[in-house]
Amino acid sequence: MEPTGRPKDLGDFLKARRAQLSPRDVGLPETPRRVTGLRREEVAQLAAISVDYLTRLEQGRVQASASVLATLARALRLSEDQQVYVYELAAKPFRRPRRRPGEKVRPAMKRLLDQLVSTPAMVLGRRLDIVAWNPSAAALFTDFARYPAARRNYVYLLFADSAMRELHVSWEEAARTAVAALHLEAAQEPDAPELADLVGELAVHHPEFRTWWAAHHVTSASYGVKRYRHPVVGELALDCDMWESPDGSGQRLMVLTAEPGSASDEGLRILASWTADEVSPG
């Protein structure tokens, strides 16, 4: 029989750890409070889970999943020994998180990027990291090169980069879809420290992300129409298609095209003319 853990002891530990931390310890603004420690709402915010779920965890009324333990460990700044302890209380195997090396784009994919001169395209890897892109994609979206590799993530930039936000005619729809896609990615490696870092940072700084992540919606949509409002070339209606690499790496090529002869097609040609001499990074 599979061990059931000690949910009451786990709940007591979570409450005790919450009381030991201040908002400053976890990157939140200091606010007046009657008792020391973090509020339950603040921990739920940091872990991108609902307050009700955290309440039931602390009361020992529900079992914690491995993915929730991983986000709580980051939110509560647990040491490795403390993480081992909470996993033991939850009867879950503790795996020391290992950071995976940065992804490399396949040479064939890189050649394809370089050949898509007037077509914005990028390669998305694990957790929707932007592994490579062509000059047209940078001209359409934002200057990806000004971000360090750890921040070069499609979901992160949708929330954190003002140019990416303003570009989308319906930013909320685009961001919700991206969060749902990230949730599907997360199911494949829920304990990855890079994922915990990404989710934790977005949850702290962006209330919309906290709300949508806690909803647990998922999507595997691989095509659709994207509508943009570019500051130079104006309105663009582009078909977005995702092509998965055949090597099993999980990398996908995201390509944006326009109806030939349309105003959007002309807009892409103008963008491409700016970048004619540039080479695709990656």
Side-chain angles (χ1 to χ4, degrees), residues 68-251:
V68 167
L69 290 176
T71 56
L72 281 172
R74 185 190 186 282
L76 294 171
R77 304 298 195 267
L78 299 186
S79 68
E80 187 169 297
D81 287 343
Q82 289 171 325
Q83 291 180 59
V84 171
Y85 180 62
V86 298
Y87 275 76
E88 180 181 311
L89 292 179
K92 303 291 182 186
F94 175 71
R95 301 180 180 88
R96 285 173 174 77
R98 294 181 179 178
R99 294 186 179 274
R100 302 175 67 171
E103 295 180 72
K104 298 290 186 181
V105 64
R106 291 176 57 240
M109 196 85 85
K110 176 65 166 61
R111 288 195 298 271
L112 184 54
L113 272 181
D114 292 338
Q115 292 170 11
L116 295 170
V117 178
S118 62
T119 302
M122 66 180 76
V123 177
L124 300 177
R126 296 186 296 267
R127 300 170 301 278
L128 304 183
D129 289 338
I130 300 171
V131 181
W133 64 94
N134 65 5
S136 290
L140 173 62
F141 290 105
T142 191
D143 181 9
F144 300 118
R146 66 190 176 93
Y147 285 94
R151 291 289 175 268
R152 209 174 291 147
N153 175 276
Y154 188 77
V155 184
Y156 175 83
L157 294 178
L158 264 178
F159 284 88
D161 187 287
S162 59
M164 287 275 279
R165 273 184 174 255
E166 294 167 8
L167 175 69
H168 290 79
V169 172
S170 178
W171 175 83
E172 180 174 330
E173 179 183 355
R176 280 179 177 269
T177 300
V179 171
L182 183 64
H183 241 307
L184 192 61
E185 291 282 320
Q188 300 176 26
E189 45 177 359
D191 300 327
E194 298 89 349
L195 175 67
D197 289 345
L198 174 64
V199 171
E201 181 165 354
L202 288 171
V204 168
H205 297 293
H206 303 284
E208 307 102 324
F209 179 87
R210 293 197 298 271
T211 300
W212 301 334
W213 185 260
H216 290 273
H217 294 149
V218 297
T219 183
S220 60
S222 57
Y223 66 93
V225 176
K226 304 286 188 182
R227 300 188 182 278
Y228 304 112
R229 187 177 294 111
H230 194 274
V232 174
V233 299
E235 299 276 347
L236 297 170
L238 304 178
D239 289 307
C240 178
D241 290 275
M242 303 279 281
W243 307 95
E244 188 151 351
S245 174
D247 66 351
S249 65
Q251 291 186 356

Side-chain angles (χ1 to χ4, degrees), residues 52-71:
D52 177 67
Y53 184 72
L54 179 58
T55 300
R56 287 182 287 143
L57 270 178
E58 291 188 346
Q59 293 174 347
R61 295 193 288 125
V62 292
Q63 297 281 353
S65 67
S67 60
V68 167
L69 290 176
T71 56

